[in-house]
Amino acid sequence: MPTSQIKLALLMQCAAGLHPGSWLHGGATRGAANSIEYYTAMAQLAERGLFDLFFIADTPAARTENLEAWSRYPLFMNSFEPMTLLAALAGLTRHIGLGGTASTSFTEPYNLARQFASLDHISHGRAAWNVVTSANAYVSLNFGLDALPPHAERYERAREHVAVTRALWDTYEDGAVQEDAGTGQYFDPAKFHVLDHRGKHFRLHGALNIARPPQGYPVTIQAGASDIGRDFAAEIAELVFGTATDLAEGVAFYADVKGRMAKFGRDPGEMKILPGLSVVVGRTRDEARHKHEAMQALMHPTVGRFFLSNDLEVDLSGLPLDEPIPPHLIPKEAQFHKAYFDQIVAAIRERNPTLRELFMSYERGKSTMLGSPSDIADTMQEWMEAGAADGFMVTFNQLPGDMAAFVELVVPELQRRGLYRRSYEPGHLRDRLGLRRPPNQYAGSAGSGSAKLP
Ligand SMILES: Cc1cc2nc3c(=O)[nH]c(=O)nc-3n(C[C@H](O)[C@H](O)[C@H](O)COP(=O)(O)O)c2cc1C
């Protein structure tokens, strides 16, 4: 059964890889961030590895402060606009899903529905939308706001946004565009539905000027971690990216989010949960460890210190690198990200590392899985069998090297165990993920629609 097999998504966040030092690595490609040839090679490599999804993370803003650190780690500082990039890749790949991030706080449903409907047609049913509410204050400054709206309000707008967007995708029923030379009608007006929506966040009277997407709706991705974010995922998401760093946490997250689906009238099978997994594979464990150490050595102290300062919520800029952080400087508790803060405090308590040792070993909200191909496959299998995962959102420190090693070494091992496909199944992205095609909410009804709102 394809649906019980491992689903794999590839996270593209920084062109050269997720590690801050990736662009300095000997295997990095100069100019990668602005090169369609580079992204094509990455998508085609992921397609060779039979990945389900090539996924582009995004935030519509560059940082404008702390440039001494950000200039050394250009995360989101120089990146393609996702929809433009994915439309280009649609023509250069054949099977892999194409996932893009777009914020419900900083887009209007009409533009977004058009863009994703277009991408779904252009890619022959391979589009997916990562629904984010944007959590960084600097984004709001680009859109006429002094600060982000409060968390709950962002999620309220997100729910309305998704409902309106889906209603727009349902403008045309399936098969409404008939191009019937006999009647002279290009489309059947009885299968065309005008939306009249007056909500708290959006007002719209209109209809989408593109036929229903091949998948009905592009696949909906979500990655909410908070209570309200998990509820939102349970209500609308078909793919969920998790952040568990150990198996017990993964099992709890999986049960919690799927357990919330019933109250929204959904079946747990309508969602696939993919925990994030950072993989460094070598032919042997030693080779994997050496790769990782070589990568860590490329992290500039300014970058390491900056991220640690952020997450420990204290200024570490004046401290010597090769001594432990004086205990009296460490705040008693977190004001912002408790999970990250607690992770660092626990590491200090357990090992009393120097500042340099601490930032060299700190991995925010994730743990890198190092090992041989069978080590990596063992862990994946364990998570699947324990009920923590339907697959994984895989991240690589360095591209293309780490992904090429994964495709060459881990994919055959998973296939040998019968856990992974040997070729792409026919159909659309949602068929390959084992997700049902959503019916058109207006099918069979005449006249105007009204977006189904929470
Ligand atoms: C794998 C993964 C990818 C994410 N990608 C993005 C992204 O591209 N853009 C973004 O603004 N947020 C992204 N997020 C953040 C989530 O959308 C969400 O805001 C975060 O998990 C916090 O959840 P909460 O909003 O429920 O508190 C991502 C989260 C995860 C786990």
Side-chain angles (χ1 to χ4, degrees):
M1 269 285 290
T3 49
S4 65
Q5 294 204 319
I6 294 180
K7 308 296 173 205
L8 290 183
L10 169 75
L11 172 67
M12 291 294 291
Q13 207 166 30
C14 233
L18 230 60
H19 194 281
S22 59
W23 66 277
L24 294 164
H25 189 273
T29 303
R30 276 187 87 79
N34 306 123
S35 163
I36 186 60
E37 292 77 14
Y38 175 82
Y39 272 91
T40 303
M42 292 310 105
Q44 290 178 346
L45 178 58
E47 197 165 62
R48 230 176 6 262
L50 305 173
F51 276 63
D52 291 274
L53 189 72
F54 188 76
F55 165 68
I56 310 289
D58 189 57
T59 192
R63 270 81 172 188
T64 53
E65 292 166 345
N66 299 307
L67 294 181
E68 178 54 27
W70 289 114
S71 65
R72 297 175 187 282
Y73 178 32
L75 177 69
F76 298 131
M77 293 300 284
N78 178 22
S79 50
F80 281 127
E81 187 287 309
M83 301 308 288
T84 316
L85 171 62
L86 293 175
L89 293 178
L92 298 162
T93 52
R94 287 190 56 206
H95 305 285
I96 194 165
L98 300 168
T101 299
S103 172
T104 51
S105 301
F106 302 108
T107 60
E108 285 282 322
Y110 200 91
N111 308 98
L112 188 130
R114 277 189 94 188
Q115 288 176 316
F116 274 95
S118 299
L119 182 64
D120 208 41
H121 283 288
I122 292 168
S123 64
H124 303 290
R126 293 188 281 138
W129 171 26
N130 180 34
V131 181
V132 300
T133 63
S134 299
N136 290 309
Y138 54 82
V139 179
S140 48
L141 299 174
N142 288 344
F143 294 85
L145 299 177
D146 291 333
L148 279 178
H151 189 255
E153 191 181 317
R154 294 204 306 278
Y155 270 111
E156 184 188 70
R157 178 179 158 115
R159 293 175 83 212
E160 191 179 330
H161 194 307
V162 170
V164 174
T165 298
R166 287 179 170 175
L168 286 167
W169 284 328
D170 285 337
T171 293
Y172 282 97
E173 289 180 33
D174 295 319
V177 179
Q178 294 169 343
E179 301 177 69
D180 188 336
T183 63
Q185 273 186 323
Y186 180 79
F187 69 90
D188 178 354
K191 294 185 172 174
F192 179 85
H193 303 279
V194 178
L195 175 65
D196 191 30
H197 173 73
R198 275 148 211 278
K200 181 165 171 192
H201 298 276
F202 304 104
R203 271 181 64 171
L204 184 151
H205 178 90
L208 200 65
N209 55 355
I210 182 165
R212 195 160 192 254
Q215 298 187 92
Y217 307 153
V219 171
T220 308
I221 307 172
Q222 216 273 332
S226 59
D227 189 54
I228 185 172
R230 291 178 186 209
D231 257 358
F232 185 50
E235 185 176 1
I236 61 118
E238 299 174 292
L239 263 194
V240 167
F241 297 153
T243 49
T245 51
D246 65 43
L247 183 58
E249 204 188 317
V251 171
F253 180 82
Y254 189 98
D256 179 59
V257 175
K258 290 217 176 188
R260 294 171 189 240
M261 293 174 77
K263 69 179 174 209
F264 300 105
R266 298 181 71 207
D267 183 89
E270 292 172 42
M271 175 199 283
K272 306 295 165 196
I273 296 185
L274 312 187
L277 197 64
S278 168
V279 176
V280 180
V281 63
R283 280 170 208 286
T284 61
R285 280 182 203 169
D286 271 353
E287 189 184 295
R289 201 170 47 249
H290 288 142
K291 265 192 204 178
H292 190 57
E293 283 167 7
M295 200 71 242
Q296 289 291 81
L298 294 174
M299 169 120 76
H300 195 281
T302 303
V303 177
R305 206 194 279 266
F306 173 65
F307 282 105
L308 213 53
S309 292
N310 251 351
D311 292 352
L312 193 57
E313 301 177 16
V314 60
D315 182 4
L316 303 172
S317 53
L319 298 182
L321 286 174
D322 294 310
E323 290 172 27
I325 301 171
H328 71 272
L329 288 184
I330 300 168
K332 292 276 168 289
E333 58 184 38
Q335 302 297 317
F336 304 102
H337 275 291
K338 184 168 163 23
Y340 303 153
F341 179 89
D342 289 351
Q343 193 182 341
I344 300 170
V345 172
I348 294 173
R349 199 178 314 116
E350 282 159 26
R351 296 182 277 114
N352 192 32
T354 64
L355 177 55
R356 190 195 303 271
E357 286 165 348
L358 189 59
F359 68 65
M360 294 287 277
S361 62
Y362 175 53
E363 297 186 80
R364 182 197 245 203
K366 69 180 170 87
S367 55
T368 296
M369 197 199 294
L370 290 174
S372 67
S374 63
D375 290 336
I376 309 289
D378 283 350
T379 305
M380 288 182 157
Q381 187 166 356
E382 190 187 11
W383 279 57
M384 296 285 291
E385 288 172 359
D390 297 305
F392 300 90
M393 151 63 76
V394 185
T395 67
F396 295 111
N397 274 343
Q398 194 272 321
L399 292 171
D402 286 346
M403 175 163 49
F406 183 90
V407 170
E408 186 196 336
L409 302 171
V410 181
V411 165
E413 178 62 24
L414 295 174
Q415 288 170 329
R416 201 183 53 72
R417 297 181 187 202
L419 295 170
Y420 194 55
R421 60 167 67 91
R422 289 180 180 274
S423 61
Y424 281 107
E425 306 81 16
H428 297 145
L429 171 62
R430 61 172 55 253
D431 302 318
R432 287 192 273 275
L433 290 170
L435 298 168
R436 74 185 178 104
R437 188 175 191 276
N440 187 309
Q441 60 193 290
Y442 307 125
S445 70
S448 297
S450 162
K452 271 199 194 132
L453 289 180

